[in-house]
Amino acid sequence: MRSYSMGQAAALLGVSAETVRRWADGGRLRMERDGTGNRTVEGTALAAFAEERAAGRHPVPDGVATSVRNSFAGIVTAVRLDDVAAQVEIQSGPHRLVSLVTRESVAELGIEVGVLVTARVKSTNVHVDVP
């Protein structure tokens, strides 16, 4: 099974290596030592921890039924308006999302730079690459 270094785990979780060390020292994230004595985290343990951390972060409001499962909470970093359309850029952790919506929607929702939003993505095409 694949193992990850402290730095790799930190990058995947979007936190500092020091935060991962604190979680390990506090017993929240199970670490092991490799043959050279460096701390590592096993891939399935890291995946489970990432899911646990994300649980409840992007809840769907009560009374709303949706099939959308991919949610990204973030801050609006740019809004470009045209006569009819608008391009909204969102920074969600290390992820940059760009959405094309109507100018009317931007106005109705009060979307502007600095506003906290949740982008919900439904896609029929998801590409997965392996390094």
Side-chain angles (χ1 to χ4, degrees):
M1 180 51 62
R2 168 86 191 240
S3 290
Y4 296 88
S5 70
M6 297 287 279
Q8 289 171 322
L12 290 168
L13 294 170
V15 297
S16 70
E18 182 56 34
T19 297
V20 173
R21 281 187 193 88
R22 282 195 306 272
W23 287 337
D25 292 345
R28 288 188 59 199
L29 181 60
R30 187 173 41 96
M31 292 284 181
E32 299 172 359
R33 299 273 180 182
D34 65 12
T36 62
N38 293 317
R39 287 180 169 188
T40 62
V41 60
E42 193 265 325
T44 56
L46 183 59
F49 184 78
E51 281 186 322
E52 178 186 311
R53 281 192 70 230
R57 278 206 172 170
H58 311 283
V60 174
D62 289 338
V64 174
T66 181
S67 64
V68 178
R69 298 291 178 254
N70 303 304
S71 300
F72 300 88
I75 190 165
V76 175
T77 57
V79 178
R80 292 175 188 80
L81 298 172
D82 199 346
D83 289 339
V84 176
Q87 179 179 315
V88 179
E89 291 188 25
I90 302 162
Q91 193 67 40
S92 176
H95 307 290
R96 175 180 167 258
L97 296 104
V98 178
S99 179
L100 297 177
V101 297
T102 64
R103 182 184 186 118
E104 182 180 15
S105 292
V106 168
E108 286 178 2
L109 296 172
I111 296 172
E112 59 186 29
V113 172
V115 171
L116 181 65
V117 297
T118 298
R120 297 197 192 280
V121 180
K122 176 112 183 188
S123 177
T124 57
N125 295 306
V126 177
H127 301 265
V128 178
D129 298 332
V130 177

